[in-house]
Amino acid sequence: MMHIFLAENRAELERRCREKVAKRPLRFSTEMQLREGIPIFLDQLIRTLKAEEAGKLAQSLAISGPADGSAAVISELADSATTHGGQLLALGYSVSQVVHDYGDLCQAVSDLAVVLGEQFAVEEFRTLNRCLDNGIAEAVSEFIQRRDVVIANEQALALSQRIGFFAHELRNHLSTAGLAVAAIKQGGMGVTGATGAVLDRSLVGLRTLIDRSLAEVRVEAGLTLQRTVFSVSNFISELSYSARLEADLLRCTLIMEEVSPMPQLYADQDLLLSAVGNLLQNAFKFGAPNGTVVLRAYAHGERIRIEVEDNGAGLSPEAADGMFMPFTQGGANKTGLGLGLSIARRSVEANGGTLSVDSVPGHGCVFIIDLPRHAGAVATFVT
């Protein structure tokens, strides 16, 4: 009888299943999985076979369900298989690995039966196949259902981040435009000077952001890069007036170190302006009260580095590791969406660069943008 064979050789069958699982690539079962997966299924299979041998069909169906899987009441096997499928998803496995878990037992039973010279009745094999089919069906169904929920949640989060990105950049441009207008009103100056130029750039930035967002929706891909060759010195000059305007408003001191006129970049200038602008806003926001922010840019071999340094409280290693995650905010100032640093990193990486932070608690932060230098520029080292 198959149920006698299974009961007497249960420990060996479980060992063989664990061995097969251990040999499978990227498959790391937990102790709970090993305790509640195949062992529970094996117990249900044995009890199903015993019930059928005794002619107790209703009891058999209550344990493992009918062959067509359409039981009015969920069977024990279906319930445990559903749990098993959910566990596998939580552990990061694929649908094929869900199916393999049940196939392992079938193969272990067949192999051990051959070794021991055991033979089973056709009806017993049908029961074994029925239990396997029902177990696989329920586990896979639960796996797919939960996976669909996870995917839907991930897509919703991605959409929220995209909307947050758009709103954050809109607010930045509007804020700069507002500062320019306030300066014009307070100073009684015209709109044709440097302050007017800041206002013009903000309005152009708004238009560019909207144009790019519409293009992103059309192609359902990231921002399309508009690369040009430009001088690092001119790039820093482009930032200087709006940055000084914001620093003055927040009563911070902005030091812009001299930049060599030679180094050049081949990149999307608008994205980099956004990135460095976000870093400066972050430094003004989280630096020391009435503190000092330093902006520097220089060539370092075949790379260009742009650094924004503040003299604030600095960050612990744990805080530094997580600060580039979307919707993450540090410090007491909770204004904003916590997207600025995430947006800055995304903009820098889109141009083939990296954004990192060097910080020691009590000694401020240095945010470092590292980009490939344009090959057409003459090698000049500035330290």
Side-chain angles (χ1 to χ4, degrees):
M1 295 295 176
M2 183 180 285
H3 68 83
I4 297 176
F5 170 81
L6 296 176
E8 291 179 348
N9 297 282
R10 180 168 184 158
E12 175 62 15
L13 290 170
E14 291 180 7
R15 186 195 67 78
R16 289 180 176 231
C17 287
R18 285 195 294 270
E19 189 176 79
K20 291 178 185 297
V21 168
K23 291 180 179 178
R24 194 166 299 136
L26 303 178
R27 181 69 161 86
F28 305 101
S29 291
T30 64
E31 286 300 319
M32 181 181 293
Q33 276 266 247
L34 296 175
R35 186 174 66 251
E36 298 183 0
I38 292 301
I40 289 178
F41 178 84
L42 191 55
D43 176 70
Q44 291 163 344
L45 175 60
I46 292 172
R47 289 192 291 116
T48 298
L49 289 165
K50 284 183 177 180
E52 292 191 352
E53 182 186 9
K56 300 177 180 178
L57 182 59
Q59 183 180 346
S60 169
L61 295 179
I63 297 170
S64 55
D68 60 4
S70 58
V73 179
I74 296 178
S75 64
E76 289 183 34
L77 188 149
D79 186 60
S80 59
T82 295
T83 300
H84 186 64
Q87 289 173 339
L88 291 178
L89 175 65
L91 292 172
Y93 300 142
S94 66
V95 173
S96 66
Q97 289 170 317
V98 177
V99 176
H100 280 139
D101 267 17
Y102 289 91
D104 287 342
L105 178 60
C106 184
Q107 187 175 353
V109 171
S110 300
D111 291 346
L112 188 58
V114 170
V115 171
L116 299 179
E118 292 285 344
Q119 293 185 344
F120 307 119
V122 173
E123 288 301 321
E124 291 178 317
F125 269 114
R126 286 178 179 171
T127 299
L128 171 61
N129 288 330
R130 187 185 90 227
C131 291
L132 288 171
D133 288 344
N134 287 344
I136 291 172
E138 294 295 338
V140 169
S141 295
E142 180 69 10
F143 180 94
I144 292 175
Q145 182 178 352
R146 292 197 184 188
R147 184 189 61 184
D148 290 346
V149 171
V150 170
I151 292 173
N153 289 339
E154 290 174 349
Q155 290 174 339
L157 177 60
L159 179 60
S160 296
Q161 291 177 357
R162 182 178 293 181
I163 293 173
F165 173 90
F166 180 73
H168 187 278
E169 291 299 279
L170 278 178
R171 188 185 63 180
N172 282 349
H173 288 303
L174 286 172
S175 176
T176 302
L179 291 172
V181 171
I184 291 172
K185 288 181 177 180
Q186 293 173 4
M189 60 189 72
V191 295
T192 57
T195 305
V198 172
L199 180 59
D200 287 340
R201 284 197 296 271
S202 298
L203 294 175
V204 170
L206 285 170
R207 184 188 65 192
T208 301
L209 177 63
I210 292 171
D211 288 343
R212 287 189 169 186
S213 298
L214 290 173
E216 186 176 14
V217 170
R218 286 195 300 268
V219 300
E220 294 185 358
L223 296 173
T224 302
L225 296 184
Q226 302 294 327
R227 294 180 183 271
T228 58
V229 177
F230 55 90
S231 161
V232 177
S233 177
N234 290 341
F235 173 80
I236 296 299
S237 296
E238 181 78 8
L239 280 165
S240 63
Y241 189 78
S242 59
R244 290 189 188 281
L245 194 62
E246 187 165 6
D248 290 344
L249 181 69
L250 298 175
R251 296 175 180 170
C252 294
T253 300
L254 175 62
I255 298 175
M256 304 185 72
E257 296 185 357
E258 185 176 353
V259 181
S260 168
M262 298 302 297
Q264 293 182 325
L265 286 167
Y266 176 62
D268 187 311
Q269 188 168 357
D270 291 334
L271 282 183
L272 289 184
L273 284 170
S274 169
V276 180
N278 273 317
L279 294 180
L280 286 169
Q281 289 173 357
N282 185 78
F284 295 143
K285 180 178 176 181
F286 294 108
N290 303 320
T292 299
V293 174
V294 180
L295 174 62
R296 65 177 66 92
Y298 57 94
H300 183 76
E302 299 302 317
R303 311 291 293 183
I304 297 293
R305 289 186 179 174
I306 301 172
E307 298 179 359
V308 175
E309 180 178 355
D310 66 64
N311 63 340
L315 296 166
S316 66
E318 296 77 16
D321 288 340
M323 69 184 315
F324 292 105
M325 296 295 293
F327 304 106
T328 299
Q329 292 179 310
N333 191 334
K334 299 299 183 182
T335 58
L337 295 172
L339 281 168
L341 294 179
S342 174
I343 292 169
R345 171 171 277 185
R346 178 183 171 188
S347 299
V348 171
E349 290 177 348
N351 282 287
T354 61
L355 172 58
S356 59
V357 61
D358 185 8
S359 178
V360 176
H363 296 278
C365 298
V366 181
F367 287 88
I368 304 164
I369 294 176
D370 187 273
L371 294 159
R373 180 174 179 170
H374 178 52
V378 178
T380 300
F381 295 88
V382 180
T383 59

